[in-house]
Amino acid sequence: MLAKQWLDNAHGIMNKIEETQFENIKKAAEIMADSIEKERWVHTFGCGHATLPIQDMYPRIGGFVGFHPMLELPLTFFTNITKGMSVQNFVFLERVEGYGAEIMKGYRFHKDDCFWLFSHTGINAVNIDIALKVKEMGNKLIVFGSAAEAKGKETRHSSGKTLFDLADVVVDTCVPIQDASVSLKNHFDKIGPVSTMAFVTAVWMTVITTAEILADRGVKLYIHPSHNVPGDTTAKDRLEECLKVYKDRVEGV
């Protein structure tokens, strides 16, 4: 079955992340822990399917306060094939130089914030705009993507830089540049992408490592609880506490 082939491919990528990326994940988590310990933010940004790991991070069960999504609707809601916010619009917008700089104007940042960007290839202009602004501000930049496979790909930004060139820490998702991983009889293009699975795997390895570092430092985490455990009568109160802390902190963003 081709499903087994996809599963084998996914297992192989997860194993490669485990074998090669723990050191970089620890470096990224240290930076994130430094920001969160100071009650500042890990600002997260991506386009298209690279927004999915951001949406899985917080708010959700088992996540915790400290991660702030910078999600631009035209770069996130791209599933329309016709009419407004169509996939054609999205493909155009993520390549428009200057758009990322305008996105950054919508927020206020602090010197103790850090930034976590997601991109499979690291070559599109809007991500690089964001990264260049982060470097100009002097904040730390963490990038997740298929860094080794994307090496040598030509950037679409006039700076001549890719997203991976600008990062302080890169975590390689170890995904083939084509992303789709399974050949199909009588078809030229492959099916079965694996980049989302790799992003989410690397994200939770990193978020959990960040939590471990903060717990070892004695920092209280505001963890989004499960609402589904029978007999847990305090989950609603713990959730309200998390959301209050988030709202209080985000007022400064």
Side-chain angles (χ1 to χ4, degrees), residues 122-155:
I123 63 172
N124 284 323
V126 66
N127 294 299
I128 297 168
D129 280 344
I130 300 281
L132 287 168
K133 184 61 178 177
V134 171
K135 301 308 290 183
E136 179 186 320
M137 294 188 303
N139 296 70
K140 293 291 188 181
L141 175 65
I142 299 149
V143 173
F144 279 33
S146 190
E149 285 279 322
K151 192 171 184 179
K153 282 189 70 68
E154 186 175 350
T155 180

Side-chain angles (χ1 to χ4, degrees), residues 57-208:
M57 202 179 303
Y58 192 85
R60 66 150 301 130
I61 292 167
F64 58 92
V65 174
F67 301 92
H68 174 242
M70 295 168 52
L71 294 178
E72 196 72 6
L73 188 58
L75 299 174
T76 305
F77 183 70
F78 58 93
T79 51
N80 285 355
I81 306 301
T82 62
K83 302 180 182 177
M85 287 193 284
S86 69
V87 68
Q88 289 92 343
N89 293 357
F90 160 71
V91 170
F92 172 78
L93 284 173
E94 71 171 349
R95 301 182 183 192
V96 173
E97 190 166 331
Y99 184 21
E102 295 304 310
I103 291 170
M104 292 289 275
K105 292 178 182 178
Y107 302 91
R108 286 186 293 161
F109 302 113
H110 187 275
K111 64 180 179 62
D112 292 325
D113 295 338
C114 66
F115 291 76
W116 192 1
L117 272 58
F118 296 85
S119 175
H120 180 57
T121 62
I123 63 172
N124 284 323
V126 66
N127 294 299
I128 297 168
D129 280 344
I130 300 281
L132 287 168
K133 184 61 178 177
V134 171
K135 301 308 290 183
E136 179 186 320
M137 294 188 303
N139 296 70
K140 293 291 188 181
L141 175 65
I142 299 149
V143 173
F144 279 33
S146 190
E149 285 279 322
K151 192 171 184 179
K153 282 189 70 68
E154 186 175 350
T155 180
R156 295 187 174 121
H157 197 279
S158 64
S159 67
K161 301 289 188 181
T162 71
L163 199 54
F164 305 117
D165 295 330
L166 295 165
D168 293 292
V169 177
V170 172
V171 172
D172 194 332
T173 53
C174 304
V175 174
I177 201 66
Q178 188 176 0
D179 192 0
S181 65
V182 177
S183 296
L184 186 66
K185 183 172 60 178
N186 300 326
H187 290 75
F188 176 80
D189 292 301
K190 292 184 177 182
I191 58 173
V194 285
S195 61
T196 301
M197 176 280 306
F199 271 142
V200 172
T201 297
V203 158
W204 283 108
M205 290 172 70
T206 306
V207 171
I208 289 166

